[in-house]
Amino acid sequence: MGNTNGSAGTDAEGVETAGSAMSTAPREDAEAGQAVPGSFGGVRKPGALGYAAWSAREAIGWARWFWRQLTSMRVALILLFLLSLATVPGSLVPQTSVDAVKAEAWRTSHETLGPLYDKLGLFHVYSSVWFSAIYILLFTSLVGCIIPRTWQFVGQLRGRPPAAPRHLKRLPAHTTWRTDAGPEEVLAAARKLLKKRRFRTEAAGDAVASEKGYLREAGNLVFHIALIVMLVAFASGQLWKSEGQKLIVEGDGFANTLVQYDDFKSGSLFDSDDLKPFSFYLDSFEASYERTGPQRGTPRTYEAHVTYHEGADGPGRKATIKVNEPLQTSGSKVYLIGHGYAPVVTVRDGQGDISFRGGIPSLPIDNNITESTVLKVGDYRTKDGKKDQIGFKGNFVPTLDLKTGTMLSQFPDLDNPRLVLTAYHGSLGTDAGTPQNVYQLDVSKMKQFKDKDGNPFAQALKVGDTMTLPDGGTLKFDGIKPWATFQVSQQPGNVTALVGAVAALVGVAGSLFIQRRRVWVRAVRGADGHTVVEVAGLGRSESAKLPEELADLAADLQADAPPVTATDAPDPAESAESADSSAASEGARA
């Protein structure tokens, strides 16, 4: 009874100890200090030092808890989902970085939602605080996931396959047979066969352990590292990117400097010194269109022939730029994005002097390239010698058909071109120093010319025609030159993002199709003198290929360890158990 009571007392103390270990409530210990509930156990000792130590323990505990949550795969997937949702407003709401004019127009037209969207940063989603927070947290989460898994994977690579379980027949895939070959011969043949099939092997006692499929975990690591690479690439692309557009008339050129662009946008860390020097000239533009059928007017040939120079004084090289076939030079891509016509005119003032000569780039307003045309002439004198400014406003029509009753082009090619203009005189507003849109004419301080009957002065010109203004000036329609608009883009992270995307696909494929599995081969001498061979396998995930692979291994191994053909042979599994029992009994007697 004394022993029983002592045992009961020991059990009670063990239960109490185990129960106290499971409890999160602090123990009250008058000698240790004041018991204060805490999230991570422990007691608070009296005094300022005790409070400081308890507070530090709580802070470190919460920091570790937050880090474990942040670096968990569950949180990483949630952040990845949130990042994909955060990009939706950037696709639906006009972005200032893409089209500032359109974003301002949207803000002005929506008086209620505009200020709210502005406070939420929806007009600049990709540089907003909340988008950056999600981006940085996802980056941190992925790094926190990868580092411990990498060390774990390195440890697995340095480790050896585990020893064979005692009862191989309990594994999901198992086969056994008896052979006349000796156990050493069977194990040597098994090890050679497994190495030939690229298994890592380890001989231990009466069995050979092997393992294969380490690249599955490598695929997971490659996938996560690739995500980090893509995040870095996208961030660098947004921070250091530059993108500008330029309209070039046939025969003119462009140099990659900031002042040459018609429109230019860049990332927050971009510097004008980052622009690589190169230049090109538009030698000619070739366009042809479908003339019949339902696709009438659709471009068939649409290409710009250019001569470009790499660097400040590089040799001239010929190239053809097509849609989706940009020119790549000096780290930039030059895309062809538009085409139109520039009427070439000569303007003489009332004194007969040339005030302007050249092409007028006009903006298309429909698919048939009906264009809005504006010309501003600031240096002009009337027939009386007085200084004046004049402006022309109208349309250029590549194919005019008066039978339609409209002044719109009926086809995008130059079948029947007309330049329809009206003229104004007065102040263009250019002397005030305020920037103006070259494609718009402000007539608020100008008067329209009138003909002798008092009607607004306007005229439709063919190539070679001359418009004579009431004050004696003239405008002659000399010819037509095509123009093309180009977009010059510098995206420093594109190649890195592509490499990351390909690596992510390879990593996903490896993690999905590569199976981690282990195979053991045991050979022991049975009670009847024959060798009992057991082959068993265990996969990390459910796969129908493991039994097939094990059957192939057993078939190949039987070439060196052929099965016994006797019909009265005992069951191999029973022989294996008998051999194990005999070995255990002998060990006990020893």
Side-chain angles (χ1 to χ4, degrees):
M1 292 295 291
N3 292 338
T4 303
N5 292 337
S7 176
T10 303
D11 292 343
E13 292 177 0
V15 171
E16 182 180 356
T17 303
S20 63
M22 294 177 62
S23 175
T24 58
R27 293 184 303 172
E28 295 187 4
D29 191 343
E31 297 180 359
Q34 181 183 3
V36 178
S39 302
F40 303 96
V43 296
R44 192 180 76 186
K45 294 182 179 180
L49 293 177
Y51 178 78
W54 183 84
S55 300
R57 182 171 59 251
E58 289 292 302
I60 294 173
W62 279 111
R64 289 177 176 175
W65 178 87
F66 178 78
W67 177 253
R68 286 195 298 268
Q69 299 302 314
L70 180 61
T71 57
S72 66
M73 188 56 61
R74 178 181 66 255
V75 173
L77 292 175
I78 292 174
L79 290 172
L80 188 61
F81 177 70
L82 289 177
L83 187 68
S84 63
L85 286 181
T87 61
V88 174
S91 303
L92 300 177
V93 181
Q95 298 296 293
T96 305
S97 60
V98 177
D99 193 338
V101 176
K102 189 175 181 180
E104 183 62 31
W106 198 98
R107 185 187 290 109
T108 304
S109 60
H110 297 75
E111 298 180 357
T112 303
L113 292 178
L116 178 61
Y117 281 15
D118 210 0
K119 292 181 179 179
L120 294 177
L122 297 183
F123 293 109
H124 46 89
V125 169
Y126 304 109
S127 59
S128 62
V129 175
W130 52 272
F131 187 88
S132 301
I134 298 175
Y135 202 92
I136 295 173
L137 285 175
L138 177 60
F139 185 87
T140 306
S141 178
L142 289 175
V143 172
C145 288
I146 288 173
I147 292 177
R149 294 184 67 171
T150 301
W151 286 116
Q152 183 181 6
F153 180 61
V154 171
Q156 291 176 355
L157 292 178
R158 297 177 61 184
R160 309 304 302 172
R166 181 171 183 177
H167 301 287
L168 291 179
K169 67 178 182 180
R170 296 179 182 178
L171 297 181
H174 172 265
T175 185
T176 182
W177 70 91
R178 299 168 65 250
T179 181
D180 290 328
E184 294 80 5
E185 298 177 5
V186 175
L187 294 178
R191 190 170 186 180
K192 182 179 179 181
L193 176 62
L194 290 169
K195 285 185 175 180
K196 184 178 179 181
R197 296 202 174 196
R198 298 188 299 277
F199 279 84
R200 295 178 61 187
T201 62
E202 179 75 10
D206 58 0
V208 172
S210 64
E211 191 168 7
K212 188 178 181 180
Y214 289 92
L215 289 180
R216 177 186 179 89
E217 183 61 24
N220 286 328
L221 292 175
V222 168
F223 172 74
H224 289 87
I225 294 174
L227 287 182
I228 293 179
V229 171
M230 286 192 291
L231 288 176
V232 172
F234 293 149
S236 63
Q238 290 296 318
L239 292 174
W240 283 280
K241 73 173 183 178
S242 66
E243 183 178 284
Q245 295 184 5
K246 177 64 176 179
L247 186 150
I248 304 176
V249 179
E250 184 179 87
D252 293 341
F254 165 80
N256 191 30
T257 58
L258 203 58
V259 296
Q260 287 274 308
Y261 286 96
D262 297 331
D263 181 34
F264 188 83
K265 298 182 289 291
S266 63
S268 57
L269 297 182
F270 174 83
D271 188 85
S272 59
D273 294 335
D274 296 334
L275 289 175
K276 302 296 180 62
F278 72 90
S279 60
F280 67 92
Y281 295 87
L282 178 60
D283 299 328
S284 62
F285 187 88
E286 183 179 353
S288 62
Y289 304 89
E290 187 69 35
R291 291 189 170 273
T292 59
Q295 294 186 344
R296 183 176 183 271
T298 303
R300 291 299 177 225
T301 304
Y302 204 80
E303 54 192 33
H305 304 284
V306 301
T307 300
Y308 70 98
H309 303 262
E310 291 186 345
D313 52 357
R317 301 177 183 177
K318 299 290 185 179
T320 299
I321 305 176
K322 302 179 181 179
V323 178
N324 297 327
E325 295 183 18
L327 168 66
Q328 300 188 37
T329 176
S330 302
S332 299
K333 291 185 177 181
V334 182
Y335 294 90
L336 174 63
I337 61 174
H339 158 62
Y341 301 103
V344 180
V345 300
T346 299
V347 178
R348 295 179 181 272
D349 61 15
Q351 303 293 314
D353 298 327
I354 296 177
S355 299
F356 175 85
R357 174 179 286 173
I360 314 172
S362 305
L363 295 182
I365 58 177
D366 60 22
N367 293 331
N368 288 325
I369 318 186
T370 302
E371 295 182 334
S372 173
T373 304
V374 170
L375 174 60
K376 303 175 185 181
V377 181
D379 185 12
Y380 184 86
R381 290 181 181 273
T382 66
K383 58 184 178 181
D384 298 329
K386 296 181 180 180
K387 289 186 177 182
D388 199 1
Q389 294 180 340
I390 62 172
F392 297 89
K393 180 180 178 182
N395 291 333
F396 173 74
V397 186
T399 301
L400 179 64
D401 187 356
L402 295 176
K403 296 179 181 179
T404 61
T406 66
M407 297 299 292
L408 299 178
S409 178
Q410 303 303 308
F411 194 73
D413 214 343
L414 297 173
D415 291 348
N416 186 28
R418 291 290 189 275
L419 179 60
V420 184
L421 293 177
T422 184
Y424 297 82
H425 68 99
S427 175
L428 294 171
T430 56
D431 296 335
T434 305
Q436 289 189 355
N437 191 331
V438 296
Y439 303 109
Q440 294 180 356
L441 179 64
D442 183 6
V443 297
S444 60
K445 298 180 180 179
M446 305 186 77
K447 293 182 180 180
Q448 188 174 11
F449 281 107
K450 306 289 184 179
D451 59 18
K452 59 183 179 179
D453 297 327
N455 298 318
F457 184 82
Q459 188 174 344
L461 305 173
K462 296 186 297 183
V463 175
D465 289 350
T466 300
M467 171 192 289
T468 301
L469 301 176
D471 67 350
T474 61
L475 180 146
K476 183 179 179 181
F477 187 11
D478 297 322
I480 305 167
K481 286 186 176 182
W483 57 256
T485 50
F486 298 92
Q487 177 176 291
V488 181
S489 299
Q490 184 177 347
Q491 300 284 352
N494 280 356
V495 176
T496 306
L498 177 61
V499 173
V502 173
L505 291 177
V506 173
V508 168
S511 63
L512 291 178
F513 297 107
I514 297 176
Q515 299 297 323
R516 182 83 174 270
R517 63 270 195 201
R518 292 170 178 169
V519 174
W520 293 275
V521 179
R522 173 174 286 151
V524 295
R525 184 74 66 179
D528 58 352
H530 294 291
T531 299
V532 179
V533 182
E534 289 184 282
V535 182
L538 179 64
R540 185 173 179 179
S541 58
E542 295 294 333
S543 175
K545 294 183 178 180
L546 180 61
E548 298 177 2
E549 185 177 22
L550 196 69
D552 292 340
L553 283 170
D556 292 344
L557 184 59
Q558 286 179 0
D560 296 309
V564 175
T565 57
T567 57
D568 58 344
D571 182 66
E574 294 179 359
S575 298
E577 291 181 356
S578 176
D580 291 342
S581 299
S582 299
S585 299
E586 292 177 1
R589 286 195 297 270

